[in-house]
Amino acid sequence: MKRWRFLLVMALLGGADFAFGAAGDVAIYEILSDPAGVNDTSLEYVVVKNFGASQINLSGWHLYPDGIGYFAFPDFVLNAGASVEIHLRASGADDDANLYFPAASGNMGNSSGSLALFSSTTHSKDTIVSYVRYHNPGSSEKKTWETTAASAGIWTAGAFIDISGGYEGKVLKLNDFNQRASIIGWTISDPAPDSTPPAEESDATDASVSETQTSGSVAPRPVAQIKAYAGEDRSAIAGATIFFDGFAEGLAGEPLDGARFSWNFGDGSPILDGEKIGHVFLYPGVYTVSLNVSSGEYSAMDTVNIAVMASPLTISEIKTGPDGWIEIKNNSSRKIEISRFGLSCGDKVFTFSENTFVAPYAALVLGTTTLGFLLPAYGGEVKFIYPNGSIMSSLNYPVLALAKEESLNFENNAWIVARATPGAKNEIAKKTAPIASAAKPADALKSPLSQTASVINIENPGGTRAFWGRDYFWLFAGLGVGVVAALIFFLGKRYWA
């Protein structure tokens, strides 16, 4: 009976594992990105195929033809061995073999482009399941998500299908699923007869029907559009400059020269113009940056998400009293801007002026004259504040009388007393100090911070100077002198008596 139950559980687990594994059996199978003729609109398509032995629901999957937006699959089951054709910038009724993406922002590139298929609405190396890139050498490259695909092992970085030999009216087709990560698995061929897109309507259509009229659910024919590309989703550090490099493609897929590039960074800062531009996000969070490209009567937009991490700046050393100071350390390899950031103690606040930066791995020291306040020797709380008033970090320092040459250093989540070295590395610890509470992020500052009663033991790193300063030396030295004196007395009494 137990054996039967075990086999049943294993079968269920195996079936579940198989169902999840089927995502890796789905791939981009065929692409028509440059239909024959002048106007490509509503004639382009992408075919996705299930190469596995079980069906899979594509609900929530994303297909990304480079630069024209993400197509979100509806609640759609793709059977084993079956394929579905996604028609770009075309309208129609979805069925078992056809899906429509009328909201695409433009046409696919004729001279360069890439496509990525994700098994989720989040886009990463863990969710990308298929990728392909084509390119005509000499034209501007479009390779969104290539680095991610290479990291996932489904594409070779830098590789592309060369379309310089003639590509108009042809399709890219995956002939070998096992070679899908390489250009070896792909060929350029004529579209199959049943895949040939319908011809455009003749100009001889009944003139009694207005161009603006529609019949039933048939949408008006989309007009040709240019394309905008804002780049891939990525991360940044609060206070560090992140650079954006926009790209635009004309009606025929050619690089668009002379266009206007306008960037909205999604953080309330002014909109800026420029094809290549830098920006500083001052606070952590996820920002949606939009690029609007305009050229004459045409315009296009693309967006990119930027995940901004907390600032790497920390309060590393302080000196209390009238001659005191606060040292700030940049623990990153990036130059960090701290314009309008603040430091406070009690009700006193110092604000950094515009265009203030801290160099990589550098320390910035501010004395009491600059700060406009001093740190009291009876203990207190020092806060590092973002420009919007939220607290970046907060430190309680202990009640401790410091000698003129001493300072408090915050290391390994605790305060230590050491030789004062403002702006330089702290090397020689001198004595113990009570541990103060650690630096706290803003979301942890809802309750008052308190000190603990623990004590850290700080010893000199080593060397003879440290040894001679210990009480143990004098203990053993005294014992040694006593032993030698007793030996001399014993020998003298025996031999000289």
Side-chain angles (χ1 to χ4, degrees), residues 315 318 345 379-383 393-399 408 410 413-415 434-440 445 447-452:
I315 299 172
I318 65 171
C345 183
E381 182 181 18
V382 183
K383 296 178 182 179
S393 63
S394 178
L395 293 174
N396 281 337
Y397 65 91
V399 179
L408 279 172
F410 197 76
N413 212 33
W415 289 108
I435 299 178
S437 55
K440 301 289 184 180
L445 295 175
S447 60
L449 300 176
S450 60
Q451 299 181 19
T452 68

Side-chain angles (χ1 to χ4, degrees), residues 6 25 107 179 192 215 224 237 255 376 408 430 457 496:
F6 173 76
D25 295 329
N107 296 327
Q179 295 288 340
S215 176
I237 299 175
L408 279 172
K430 298 188 66 176
N457 294 318
W496 297 326

Side-chain angles (χ1 to χ4, degrees), residues 47-135:
V47 178
V48 173
K49 183 174 181 178
N50 182 359
F51 289 87
S54 64
Q55 63 179 208
I56 183 167
N57 194 326
L58 301 183
S59 175
W61 286 43
H62 272 181
L63 174 69
Y64 184 72
D66 199 338
I68 70 174
Y70 291 91
F71 170 70
F73 283 83
D75 188 4
F76 183 87
V77 175
L78 187 60
N79 292 322
S83 60
V84 60
E85 189 170 309
I86 298 96
H87 302 271
L88 308 180
R89 302 189 72 189
S91 299
D94 294 344
D95 56 35
D96 291 342
N98 298 275
L99 298 174
Y100 295 86
F101 186 23
S105 61
N107 296 327
M108 288 189 286
N110 292 341
S111 57
S112 184
S114 64
L115 294 94
L117 180 64
F118 298 89
S119 62
S120 172
T121 55
T122 59
H123 311 131
S124 69
K125 71 179 184 65
D126 297 322
T127 61
I128 190 168
V129 298
S130 183
Y131 182 85
V132 61
R133 178 181 164 223
Y134 59 91
H135 180 61

Side-chain angles (χ1 to χ4, degrees), residues 133-190:
R133 178 181 164 223
Y134 59 91
H135 180 61
N136 183 358
S139 61
S140 297
E141 291 187 300
K142 300 191 71 175
K143 50 184 180 180
T144 308
W145 295 114
E146 182 186 63
T147 302
T148 303
S151 299
I154 62 170
W155 190 253
T156 304
F160 58 85
I161 301 169
D162 191 338
I163 60 173
S164 59
Y167 179 56
E168 184 176 0
K170 306 287 185 179
V171 297
L172 296 180
K173 192 169 184 179
L174 178 61
N175 282 341
D176 187 348
F177 177 77
N178 293 326
Q179 295 288 340
R180 62 191 182 281
S182 168
I183 60 174
I184 299 175
W186 294 83
T187 60
I188 299 176
S189 60
D190 293 320

